Amino acid sequence: MAVELRKGQKVNLQKDSGKALGEILINLNWSQPMEKKFLGFSLGQKSIDLDLGCLYELKNGRKGCIQALGNAFGNLNAVPYIALDGDDRSGACTNGENLRVNGNYISEFKKILVYTFIYEGVANWKNADGIVTIKCPNSQDLIVRMDDYGSSKKMCAIALLENQNNETFSVEKLVKFFDGHSQMDRAFGWGMKWVAGRK
């Protein structure tokens, strides 16, 4: 059974008493726009390449990002205890893209901001129909639908995870749009420096 979060809603991931939180899986899946034709000819509808990533802040003040752009894929078993498992360029992969967070090290974390951005293609969020699913042992799956379709901006802050007394994470649905990494960073007060990158 899954719980679909409303915008601004915040819930806590659950865990067994006395046990570690375990691995948290954050999955992004999306659809490609239908090909449009006129008199039998393709109108060249361009595919959408969505990239999943996150900003993180640890308790010791270390900050960074995990994403395919710049090959910052992270590490699940060493700092920063977050890893991106690959880069789906098409949206055709049934598994989508996955961020994994090692909840056994929750005491190291302060907060994690999960985001996606359109690396290639027009900013058509309705056609992309993005869905983020957050899975954690002993918790119901949390569904975050990217259901605010009005924006032409290419970056979307999806959800914020915050450490709650080193026991669990709270998860808040955001779905807020930005022109890019720097603007999103400023909005959430991360204070990092950004340069252009490529895959």
Side-chain angles (χ1 to χ4, degrees), residues 96-116:
E97 292 192 3
N98 296 288
L99 274 170
R100 299 176 188 276
V101 179
N102 193 334
N104 296 331
Y105 292 93
I106 187 170
S107 62
E108 304 287 331
F109 287 99
K110 184 175 181 184
K111 56 186 178 178
I112 302 169
L113 177 66
V114 180
Y115 60 80
T116 185

Side-chain angles (χ1 to χ4, degrees), residues 40-95:
F41 294 97
S42 172
L43 296 179
Q45 185 83 349
K46 193 170 182 182
S47 63
I48 296 171
D49 177 14
L50 278 185
D51 274 6
L52 179 65
C54 72
L55 297 181
Y56 64 84
E57 182 177 352
L58 303 183
K59 289 279 189 71
N60 63 9
R62 177 170 174 162
K63 300 177 182 179
C65 76
I66 304 295
Q67 61 180 27
L69 189 63
N71 294 313
F73 286 93
N75 191 317
L76 191 61
N77 298 305
V79 176
Y81 310 112
I82 308 171
L84 178 67
D85 69 357
D87 180 21
D88 179 9
R89 302 297 294 270
S90 65
C93 175
T94 54
N95 294 327

Side-chain angles (χ1 to χ4, degrees), residues 34-45:
M34 297 294 290
E35 183 183 23
K36 293 182 180 178
K37 292 188 175 182
F38 179 71
L39 300 177
F41 294 97
S42 172
L43 296 179
Q45 185 83 349

Side-chain angles (χ1 to χ4, degrees), residues 185-198:
D185 181 307
R186 288 194 299 274
F188 290 95
W190 235 266
M192 292 172 57
K193 294 180 180 178
W194 296 93
V195 294
R198 63 176 56 193

Side-chain angles (χ1 to χ4, degrees), residues 12-53:
N12 286 346
L13 296 176
Q14 301 300 315
K15 76 180 191 71
D16 279 347
S17 178
K19 292 186 178 179
L21 190 59
E23 183 181 297
I24 302 158
L25 176 69
I26 302 166
N27 171 263
L28 168 68
N29 250 306
W30 72 97
S31 304
Q32 286 300 343
M34 297 294 290
E35 183 183 23
K36 293 182 180 178
K37 292 188 175 182
F38 179 71
L39 300 177
F41 294 97
S42 172
L43 296 179
Q45 185 83 349
K46 193 170 182 182
S47 63
I48 296 171
D49 177 14
L50 278 185
D51 274 6
L52 179 65

